[in-house]
Amino acid sequence: MHIPFLSLQKINESFEPALSQKIAEVVKNGWYIHGKECKAFEENFAQFCGVKHCIGVGNGLEALKLILRAYKLLGVFKTGDEVIVPANTFIATILAISAENLTPVFVEPDIDDYVIDVKKIEEKITKKTKAIMPVHLYGRLCNMDAIIAIAKQHNLKLIEDAAQAHGATQNGKRSGAFGDAAGFSFYPGKNLGCLGDGGCVTTDDDELADIVRKLANYGSSVKYVHEYKGENSRLDEIQAAVLSVKMQRLDADNARRRQIAAIYNAGIKNKAVILPKLHQAEEHVWHIYCIRVQHRKAFIDYLAQNGIETMIHYPTPPHKQKAYKEFAHLNLPISEKIHAEVVSLPMSPLLTNKHIMYIIEIIGAYKNIIKQ
C-alpha cells in the first residue's frame, strides 16, 4: 500500500467537472485581473469570515506585509517598532515583519498545542511593542480571548496569521475576524487552496482595507494615478474562480479532517509517539496532523518502508535559519524541541478509513529501539 502525504491531483479531481468548467468560463470571458470573479470571491470570503472587507492579494506573505505597511502609512507603526510573534512558526511570518523594517520579538509556544503561549506574552511587551501577530499553526486557533484582552490592555494591534486556519471557529467567530486584520494564504496545499499562489487580507477597518487594496495594485485605485509606493500583489481571476468553487465545500472538508484527527487520536497507541492535543472541535481545522517522536529519522524511514509518506512542518525554527543569524543566540528550547521532533502524517479530506486504519496499525507496531 502507498499512501501519499497529500495528493493535490486527487483533491482537484474531486471538484470536477465544476472546476474545469469555471476555469474555461474565465478564459472565455477574457478578463483576467480584478474582474467579477475576484470581486465575487472577496465578497463571499468576507461574509464567510464575518468581516466587512476581504482584499485578494498575491500570497500569504504579501498579505501580512501589506497589513504592516499600511499601518506604517497610517502612522500606527514606525521603523524599528516591535511585533510579538510565536517562535514556532513558518518563516513567512517573520519575513513579513522584517521586510517592513519592524522587529520580531519571539515568544515560546505551549508544548501541548504548539501555538503561542499566552502566559508568556506580557513579559515581552516593551515601549516599542506595537502589535501581536498570533499564528494559528497547523489549523489550530490560538487562545484568542486571552490575546485580545492583552492587546486591548496594552493598546496593541492584533494581526492574525491565519494562513493555515481557513474556517476555524472559536466562540462562534471564525479565523480572520478576531484581530484588527488577518492574512490568509491560498497556497495549493491549504484547506482552501488555489492552483498557484494566492492570498487575502481580511479586516473590518475601512481605512486599512482601502490602503491595502491600493498598495497591492501599484499604490493605485485609479489607473495611472498612484497614491503610494505600492507593488503588484493581486489575486487573479482564475485563482479567484477556483477558490469560489472550492469554498462551497470548505466546511464539509474541515469536518472530515476533524473526523480523521479524532480517529488518529483514538487509534494510535505507541508510547514513542506524542499525539496532538484535542481541543473543542471547531477550534482546529487540521491543516496538518502533527505528532512528535524523539528519533524522527528512524520513525520516518520506518513509515516510508511501509508505504506511508510523511512531511516535517518545520525542521528548523526561524531563529536558527541562516537568514536570521542575528537571532541565533536566543534561548528558545521549547520551539527547538518541537521543530526537532515533529512529523506530519497524511491528512486530506479524501483520506479513506482503510488508509487511516493502516497508518494506525503501522505506527502501533513501531518499536523505538534507536539509541542516540
Side-chain angles (χ1 to χ4, degrees), residues 37-57 63 160 162-168 174-177 182-186 190-193 198-204 235 240 243-248 250-251 254:
E37 296 296 341
C38 186
K39 183 178 180 183
F41 173 73
E42 288 177 340
E43 290 175 352
N44 289 335
F45 195 68
Q47 184 177 18
F48 176 80
C49 293
V51 296
K52 290 170 65 176
H53 303 283
C54 167
I55 304 99
V57 299
E160 296 173 76
Q164 300 184 12
H166 314 73
R174 289 194 193 266
S175 61
F184 284 88
S185 166
F186 300 125
K190 303 297 186 184
N191 293 33
L192 180 60
C200 79
V201 171
T202 59
T203 184
D204 281 325
L235 183 67
L243 292 168
S244 290
V245 171
K246 290 188 172 184
M247 200 174 85
Q248 297 174 39
L250 179 57
D251 280 338
N254 283 343

Side-chain angles (χ1 to χ4, degrees), residues 246-307:
K246 290 188 172 184
M247 200 174 85
Q248 297 174 39
R249 214 176 74 194
L250 179 57
D251 280 338
D253 283 350
N254 283 343
R256 175 58 179 162
R257 288 173 179 270
R258 293 186 189 106
Q259 185 180 53
I260 293 167
I263 297 172
Y264 273 149
N265 266 53
I268 295 175
K269 307 293 184 184
N270 192 313
K271 292 182 179 179
V273 176
I274 299 173
L275 301 176
K277 185 177 180 181
L278 292 177
H279 283 189
Q280 294 182 22
E282 292 81 9
E283 293 189 356
H284 207 320
V285 291
W286 298 100
H287 170 57
I288 300 295
Y289 182 90
C290 192
I291 62 175
R292 288 187 9 244
V293 290
Q294 268 198 315
H295 308 293
R296 181 165 62 191
K297 186 180 184 306
F299 180 77
I300 289 173
D301 289 346
Y302 165 77
L303 292 186
Q305 289 163 11
N306 286 278

Side-chain angles (χ1 to χ4, degrees), residues 303-357:
L303 292 186
Q305 289 163 11
N306 286 278
I308 301 167
E309 186 179 335
T310 58
M311 295 282 285
I312 300 174
H313 297 87
Y314 303 95
T316 307
H319 74 285
K320 291 297 184 181
Q321 298 283 355
K322 183 178 179 181
Y324 286 108
K325 56 184 180 291
E326 65 268 33
F327 297 122
H329 67 283
L330 294 178
N331 182 32
L332 298 166
I334 297 174
S335 292
E336 290 169 25
K337 180 178 179 61
I338 290 170
H339 284 258
E341 297 179 351
V342 288
V343 178
S344 301
L345 298 184
M347 171 56 78
S348 161
L350 301 184
L351 200 62
T352 67
N353 282 359
K354 180 180 178 181
H355 285 160
I356 299 165
M357 298 314 295

